[in-house]
């Protein structure tokens, strides 16, 4: 039907006074659920003075479309229609919509599937089936199959990209979901639903700043109350990442949200960060680990967990693996570069430790401890002059014991050797 529609559109344009050509163009439009185009073609064909073979069919289809536009048909009327005209895709589609309105989602899916059997290229039916399966029918694999089918039918359709992106997100394929939702939001501009889903996908990949900016755009698009409420909570909680001093005063709000939704990730992250502030590393580790079991590519949790594992020699390799994964998503994160520097020193990879600390220093000043690890790494790599200068900076930055004693001893030894 899609190929027929393309050819018949061209034919009807060149034979604009030929009712037979117009009728066939109208039928092809009808079978592709292009209802406005079909109505226009049928009206023009029926207004002609000459007879044509499909005149009765054109009148029946036009009447059905016009009546349905005035008042939504009842399910019993549509059931009668499909019994009499089992190849009427529009009747099947409207029947599916009627069943949906009644909450009869299994019957609705059956109606849409019938329409798709009649025309396997019927994009609206594939989209509806994807939405039903990811929603009330809770069959994510079927949802994915129909969404993928819709994407194949309309690879350049931004709305389909958004629907598939939301479904793939729920299936846990966050990288592909991010790509689809980014494409959809760019082309649909002010679609609050797509922007909301895109923000969440960016967030679980650790792109916090991008997620916040996108969620703000969703709010500006005047979303429905459900999305607006979620956006408000999301923005308030993710803002705590840049303002950790506000965590204690936000504790009651964090707990309130977790009572309503125990799996709400921004609230879980805020709670874990608060536990770190209070010195309860084990509770924070448990929360970050739980988040990563649900969202294994969540770079923020990977980074936080790697930082906590730094203090335990038995988990250095595990911390390093987490930090490297986070690095794929956060290549310019100075805190992550500092974590990788310390981990690399403890793993005796002194060259990478130097590289990581120097990268972190380009974005913000290193602490005394960071300068100590950098200076000691330079010492291990035979960079005596650089090591001495770095360790002297570490002393000036307030280096604490026992590192302070080690740094002074190394500086003294380097001074002695330089005088020989």
């Amino acid at each position: 039907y899609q190929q027929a529609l393309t050819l018949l559109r061209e034919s009807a344009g060149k034979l604009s006074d030929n009712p037979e050509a117009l009728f066939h163009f109208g039928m092809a439009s009808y079978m592709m659920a292009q209802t406005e185009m079909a109505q226009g073609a049928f009206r023009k064909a029926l207004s002609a003075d000459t007879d044509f073979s499909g005149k009765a069919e054109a009148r029946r289809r036009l009447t059905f479309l016009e009546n349905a536009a005035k008042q939504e048909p009842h399910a019993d009327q549509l059931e009668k229609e499909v019994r009499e005209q089992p190849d009427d895709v529009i009747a099947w589609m409207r029947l599916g919509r009627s069943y949906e309105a009644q909450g009869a989602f299994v019957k609705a899916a059956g109606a849409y599937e019938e329409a798709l059997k009649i025309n396997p290229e019927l994009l609206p039916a594939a989209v509806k089936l994807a939405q039903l399966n990811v929603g009330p029918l809770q069959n994510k694999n079927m949802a994915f199959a129909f969404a993928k089918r819709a994407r194949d039918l309309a690879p350049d359709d931004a709305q389909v990209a958004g629907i598939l992106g939301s479904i793939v997100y729920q299936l846990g394929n966050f990288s592909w979901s991010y790509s689809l939702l980014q494409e959809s939001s760019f082309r649909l501009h002010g679609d609050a639903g797509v922007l909301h889903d895109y923000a969440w996908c960016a967030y679980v990949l650790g792109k916090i700043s991008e997620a916040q900016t996108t969620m703000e755009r969703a709010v500006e698009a005047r979303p429905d109350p459900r999305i607006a409420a979620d956006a408000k909570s999301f923005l308030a909680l993710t803002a705590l990442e840049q303002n950790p001093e506000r965590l204690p005063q936000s504790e009651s709000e964090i707990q309130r949200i977790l009572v309503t939704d125990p799996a709400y990730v921004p609230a879980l992250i805020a709670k874990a960060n608060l536990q770190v502030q209070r010195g309860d590393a084990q509770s924070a580790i448990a929360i970050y680990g739980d988040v990563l079991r649900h969202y294994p590519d969540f770079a923020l949790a990977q980074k936080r967990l790697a930082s906590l594992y730094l203090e335990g020699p038995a988990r250095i390799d595990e911390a390093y693996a987490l930090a490297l994964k986070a690095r794929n998503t956060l290549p310019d994160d100075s805190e992550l570069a500092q974590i990788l520097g310390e981990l690399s020193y403890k793993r005796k990879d002194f060259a990478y430790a130097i590289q990581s600390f120097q990268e972190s220093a380009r974005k913000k000043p290193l602490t005394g401890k960071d300068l100590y690890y950098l200076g000691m790494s330079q010492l291990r790599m035979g960079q005596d002059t650089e090591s001495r200068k770095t360790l002297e900076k570490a002393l000036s930055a307030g280096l604490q014991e026992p590192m302070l004693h080690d740094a002074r001893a190394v500086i003294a030894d380097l001074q002695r050797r330089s005088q020989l």
Side-chain angles (χ1 to χ4, degrees), residues 21-81:
L22 290 165
F23 165 68
H24 287 295
F25 172 48
M27 285 301 297
S29 303
Y30 192 98
M31 297 304 288
M32 290 300 296
Q34 301 285 339
T35 54
E36 289 186 12
M37 198 182 295
Q39 286 183 73
F42 289 147
R43 286 194 191 105
K44 198 168 183 181
L46 290 168
S47 68
D49 295 331
T50 55
D51 246 350
F52 58 97
S53 60
K55 192 168 188 176
E57 181 73 1
R59 186 172 287 113
R60 188 191 72 78
R61 303 271 184 171
L62 180 60
T63 300
F64 176 70
L65 290 174
E66 289 178 338
N67 289 341
K70 292 174 187 174
Q71 184 176 8
E72 192 69 29
H74 293 296
D76 54 353
Q77 295 173 282
L78 292 164
E79 288 167 353
K80 180 175 181 292
E81 185 73 24

Side-chain angles (χ1 to χ4, degrees), residues 79-353:
E79 288 167 353
K80 180 175 181 292
E81 185 73 24
V82 296
R83 280 196 300 271
E84 294 174 355
Q85 302 289 334
D87 68 340
D88 192 323
V89 292
I90 301 298
W92 280 113
M93 289 295 294
R94 290 189 180 278
L95 180 57
R97 192 161 70 185
S98 180
Y99 285 147
E100 271 193 88
Q102 298 172 19
F105 301 116
V106 173
K107 292 173 74 174
Y112 294 134
E113 285 171 3
E114 287 298 326
L116 202 56
K117 286 177 188 175
I118 297 163
N119 179 8
E121 295 179 312
L122 193 62
L123 177 63
V127 169
K128 277 290 188 183
L129 284 163
Q131 292 172 322
L132 274 176
N133 278 284
V134 79
L137 296 181
Q138 288 295 294
N139 188 332
K140 292 180 180 179
N141 289 331
M142 288 297 290
F144 178 81
F146 283 118
K148 181 66 169 62
R149 186 167 179 175
R151 178 69 168 174
D152 291 341
L153 289 172
D156 299 320
D157 190 303
Q159 183 183 23
V160 171
I163 293 167
L164 180 57
S166 297
I167 292 168
V168 170
Y169 174 88
Q170 293 183 55
L171 291 172
N173 191 331
F174 302 118
S175 297
W176 189 21
S177 174
Y178 175 81
S179 174
L180 290 164
L181 289 166
Q182 185 180 51
E183 173 194 335
S184 182
S185 67
F186 178 77
R187 294 170 60 192
L188 291 179
H189 302 295
D191 188 309
V194 170
L195 288 167
H196 172 265
D197 291 349
Y198 173 29
W200 266 104
C201 193
Y203 178 74
V204 299
L205 287 174
K207 302 175 186 292
I208 310 301
S209 178
E210 182 179 352
Q212 291 169 324
T213 301
T214 305
M215 193 64 84
E216 286 167 358
R217 287 173 57 202
V219 172
E220 290 168 2
R222 298 182 179 179
D224 64 46
R226 179 189 63 82
I227 290 178
D230 180 72
K232 180 181 177 182
S233 297
F234 180 93
L235 290 169
L237 289 169
T238 57
L240 296 172
E241 194 65 32
Q242 290 83 33
N243 303 281
E245 71 282 355
R246 286 164 43 195
L247 279 166
Q249 67 195 61
S250 303
E251 184 174 11
S252 60
E253 179 65 10
I254 294 167
Q255 293 295 353
R256 183 191 68 78
I257 291 172
L258 287 174
V259 167
T260 305
D261 183 359
Y264 198 77
V265 178
L268 287 171
I269 293 297
K271 182 179 179 180
N273 291 347
L274 185 58
Q275 298 296 78
V276 171
Q277 278 190 5
R278 291 172 172 169
D280 188 355
Q282 289 308 308
S283 293
I285 286 171
I287 295 171
Y288 292 134
D290 190 48
V291 169
L292 286 173
R293 277 188 285 278
H294 290 90
Y295 302 100
D297 295 325
F298 190 24
L300 181 60
Q302 290 170 341
K303 180 175 79 169
R304 293 278 181 263
L305 202 51
S307 178
L308 291 174
Y309 285 169
L310 266 173
E311 305 307 321
R315 307 194 82 163
I316 292 298
D317 288 342
E318 193 175 349
Y320 187 69
L322 283 166
L324 284 181
K325 286 181 182 177
R327 184 75 161 171
N328 292 329
T329 303
L330 306 172
D332 301 316
D333 189 295
S334 61
E335 183 184 2
L336 185 56
Q338 173 267 320
I339 291 169
L340 276 167
E342 185 172 342
L343 284 166
S344 297
Y345 174 81
K346 290 178 177 180
R347 297 177 77 248
K348 304 187 186 307
D349 186 352
F350 303 116
Y352 191 46

Side-chain angles (χ1 to χ4, degrees), residues 371-372 375-376 387-395 407 410-411:
L371 288 164
Y372 168 80
M376 297 300 282
S387 174
R388 177 180 165 185
K389 289 178 181 178
T390 302
L391 291 172
E392 286 172 347
K393 287 181 183 178
L395 298 183
V410 170
I411 291 169

